[in-house]
Amino acid sequence: MDHNFIKTAEENGFKGLKGHSSTGGLRASIYNSISISEVRDLAEFMNYFMTKNG
């Protein structure tokens, strides 16, 4: 499911969600340069993905 999530996320403009190369998984690094709106967009995408694929 990780590969499908990353692929779909990138198709929707979300980059850099792939986890560390040695441990895998997913990660979202949210720093000060990320707006609240962008965090909400990611959360909405994650909920959409879960609904479609969960």
Side-chain angles (χ1 to χ4, degrees):
M1 189 67 64
D2 288 359
H3 175 74
N4 188 26
F5 178 84
I6 292 167
K7 179 179 178 231
T8 306
E10 288 180 353
E11 290 169 353
N12 284 276
F14 299 102
K15 309 279 186 213
L17 297 174
K18 187 175 181 181
H20 192 274
S21 60
S22 65
T23 57
L26 303 166
R27 68 178 177 180
S29 297
I30 302 171
Y31 297 102
N32 292 336
S33 64
I34 302 299
S35 70
I36 299 259
S37 173
E38 291 169 314
V39 173
R40 286 186 185 129
D41 291 344
L42 177 58
E44 287 176 16
F45 169 75
M46 292 170 73
N47 283 322
Y48 162 79
F49 186 86
M50 180 179 65
T51 300
K52 293 283 274 185
N53 299 284

